[in-house]
Amino acid sequence: MIPVQGFEGAKVAVLGLGRSGLAAAAALKAGGAEPVLWDDSPEARAKAEAAGFTCADLTRQGAFDGIACLITSPGIPHLYPRPNPVIAAAMAAGVPVDNDIGLFFRSWATEAWDDFDIAPRTICVTGSNGKSTTTALIHHILQHAGRPTQMAGNIGRGVLDIDPAVEGEVVVLELSSYQTDLARALTPDIAVFTNLSPDHLDRHAGMGGYFAAKRRLFAEGGPDRAVIGVDEPEGVYLANQIAMGREDDRLIRVSAARKLGDYGWSVFARKGFLAEWRKGRQVASIDLRAITGLPGAHNHQNACAAYAAVRSLGLAPKLIEEAFHSFGGLPHRSQTVAEKRGVRFVNDSKATNVDSAAKALEAFTNIRWIVGGMGKEGGVAALKSSLGAVKKAYFIGHSARDFALELAPLEHEICETMEVAVARASAEAEAGDTVLLAPAAASFDQYPNFEKRGDHFTQLVQALPD
């Protein structure tokens, strides 16, 4: 746990008692603050009180009298589409509003660091797609290199739930737009921006607000080094905002679409090869094509971003390449779960929208595609340009027939359930085929979340005969 600094003896309100809220309350208490908790759910309040915390109704008149700060969970709106009433009341009362990310950055460094020869570092990763894989890959490379490291944030543990730093440690944080938007302190040593595509637009009142939330990670405190994906206009703009000129190597540009050899420092992937260029010359290259845990151009972008981040710490290219080969990938993200009779089975249940499904479809050949669920606004017609490798589609879930109509004349079968789809796809698959779960839809018609959907697919595949 990271005891929160700066609130000793003060009352601090905590709104939202999920994982991050309870961790924040415990860290505040450990730092000498008096946390006062609230959640609309009686069950959540009962759980907090059972853990020894005090709950008080923050919706009542005068609830913020004597409160030094309000800490809110990332999922609770503070501005758009409309502020939560408790947050609005805190702001009206002049009470600062923050989140656990802000508390982390104000509390991470301690006097104990004065005795360290090598100061701890933080690497923060944000973006629309690939940030979980990039974060996990950075963490994996550091572990492979024998560096002390912890991973937290939007993946794994809450940021205040990690252990205090040891000498030379690197903490790797995945940060969502919800987390970066409100944090009052954002001071990473290395900040990574993967890419940007439409998401959470109601929460940020459009793409401009969404990008602005991501940009705060680079603008509020200013990282020592920035790793920026420049395959979208927003990344190009952000890189231009940071760099003082073409040779400024505080910025590492990253691309999975084109060569970037004319800058001070760049890392890019073309035709399955990662290349690092510095001051106009290539200094390293890695063949990514045979790395099972990083299939497809979207994962090659993740590999470039992770490579750039750890190169900033001085790790050697050969060591990074070794770590790439031992990276198994994240569950539910282009994860190979089995190979049977020459057929590869891939779980990409996290591909819940058109953009992520397209990337999955472009990563493999000879695809038997399991697709469907609770369709999202806009449908899936935009995927027609990504169907070149699909031999047949097996539609499941609520939107099965709608998807079939939108993607006509694609060869297909209406299967309704995962059980039928896996059975039919595996029965028809030939050696060299890939049975790919990339739903392009939410899971809520048949599963509580995409993880349960991916787990079910994996269980069914593993039960198939070898």
Side-chain angles (χ1 to χ4, degrees):
M1 181 189 301
I2 307 298
V4 172
Q5 302 180 41
F7 290 110
E8 187 173 357
K11 284 188 176 181
V12 178
V14 178
L15 176 66
L17 303 180
R19 183 190 66 172
S20 65
L22 289 176
L28 284 160
K29 190 173 183 178
E34 182 183 340
V36 178
L37 281 55
W38 180 251
D39 193 295
D40 290 339
S41 165
E43 292 79 12
R45 298 197 299 270
K47 182 179 178 181
E49 289 173 341
F53 294 109
T54 299
C55 291
D57 186 355
L58 296 179
T59 65
R60 62 179 173 78
Q61 188 73 24
F64 286 97
D65 294 347
I67 297 293
C69 186
L70 170 64
I71 307 302
T72 181
S73 294
I76 301 175
H78 57 272
L79 185 57
Y80 301 115
R82 65 190 60 81
N84 177 278
V86 172
I87 296 176
M91 291 181 176
V95 173
V97 179
D98 203 349
N99 62 17
D100 61 333
I101 305 301
L103 294 181
F104 170 84
F105 278 109
R106 70 181 287 161
S107 307
W108 174 232
T110 67
E111 292 181 357
W113 291 24
D114 294 341
D115 297 325
F116 293 162
D117 292 327
I118 303 175
R121 310 285 294 278
T122 55
I123 300 176
C124 293
V125 181
T126 195
S128 296
N129 299 306
K131 58 184 179 292
S132 294
T133 296
T134 301
T135 301
L137 182 56
I138 293 169
H139 181 59
H140 174 78
I141 296 167
L142 293 168
Q143 287 180 315
H144 180 82
R147 294 287 295 268
T149 179
Q150 298 182 77
M151 180 173 67
N154 204 43
I155 184 173
R157 302 161 70 183
V159 292
L160 293 171
D161 199 34
I162 67 174
D163 300 324
V166 300
E167 182 171 344
E169 184 164 36
V170 182
V171 168
V172 191
L173 304 180
E174 178 194 339
L175 299 182
S176 71
S177 59
Y178 292 5
Q179 293 169 310
T180 58
D181 197 20
L182 190 61
R184 296 172 71 90
L186 284 168
T187 54
D189 296 289
I190 300 168
V192 179
F193 176 85
T194 59
N195 50 57
L196 199 78
S197 62
D199 207 359
H200 310 306
L201 299 189
D202 58 336
R203 175 68 181 263
H204 298 293
M207 279 293 285
Y210 179 47
F211 176 54
K214 301 287 190 184
R215 184 180 176 276
R216 291 191 76 245
L217 183 62
F218 302 83
E220 292 302 304
D224 294 335
R225 180 158 279 119
V227 176
I228 306 293
V230 293
D231 288 339
E232 292 87 26
E234 293 86 357
V236 174
Y237 170 82
L238 185 56
N240 183 267
Q241 289 267 294
I242 291 170
M244 298 301 294
R246 295 180 68 87
E247 297 300 315
D248 187 351
D249 66 1
R250 296 174 306 147
L251 167 68
I252 307 177
R253 291 174 174 84
V254 165
S255 175
R258 65 188 190 278
K259 180 179 177 180
L260 297 173
D262 297 331
Y263 299 100
W265 199 346
S266 62
V267 180
F268 56 89
R270 294 180 68 203
K271 298 180 179 178
F273 286 86
L274 178 153
E276 177 188 2
W277 281 63
R278 299 192 72 170
K279 298 180 179 178
R281 57 185 292 268
Q282 183 172 316
V283 297
S285 177
I286 297 175
D287 185 351
L288 300 173
R289 295 172 299 176
I291 298 175
T292 305
L294 295 167
H298 62 301
N299 273 311
H300 293 176
Q301 183 188 55
N302 300 334
C304 289
Y307 177 97
V310 295
R311 280 291 280 153
S312 298
L313 298 174
L315 271 64
K318 286 294 183 184
L319 186 64
I320 300 170
E321 183 175 6
E322 290 174 4
F324 279 177
H325 280 281
S326 60
F327 180 65
L330 286 180
H332 317 297
R333 296 165 175 87
S334 294
Q335 176 196 19
T336 297
V337 296
E339 290 193 20
K340 300 192 175 192
R341 299 174 285 106
V343 177
R344 184 178 185 179
F345 294 84
V346 177
N347 167 22
D348 203 336
S349 184
K350 184 65 168 64
T352 59
N353 57 40
V354 165
D355 184 63
S356 54
K359 288 180 169 60
L361 290 169
E362 292 160 7
F364 303 98
T365 58
N366 302 322
I367 297 170
R368 295 187 178 276
W369 180 29
I370 299 176
V371 52
M374 183 66 71
K376 295 187 175 181
E377 185 177 353
V380 293
L383 285 170
K384 282 191 172 183
S385 61
S386 301
L387 301 179
V390 177
K391 297 175 74 171
K392 183 175 179 179
Y394 304 81
F395 292 107
I396 64 173
H398 177 270
S399 298
R401 286 171 174 77
D402 291 339
F403 281 14
L405 289 171
E406 290 183 62
L407 297 175
L410 177 67
E411 183 179 352
H412 70 274
E413 186 172 334
I414 304 295
C415 296
E416 300 286 0
T417 67
M418 187 72 75
E419 289 90 345
V420 174
V422 169
R424 295 294 299 141
S426 61
E428 296 181 348
E430 303 169 330
D433 286 357
T434 296
V435 175
L436 170 67
L437 171 65
S443 61
F444 307 128
D445 57 334
Q446 295 179 321
Y447 302 94
N449 51 52
F450 73 83
E451 292 95 342
K452 292 295 185 184
R453 177 171 59 191
D455 289 341
H456 190 205
F457 170 79
T458 301
Q459 291 163 6
L460 293 168
V461 167
Q462 290 174 344
L464 293 171
D466 293 327

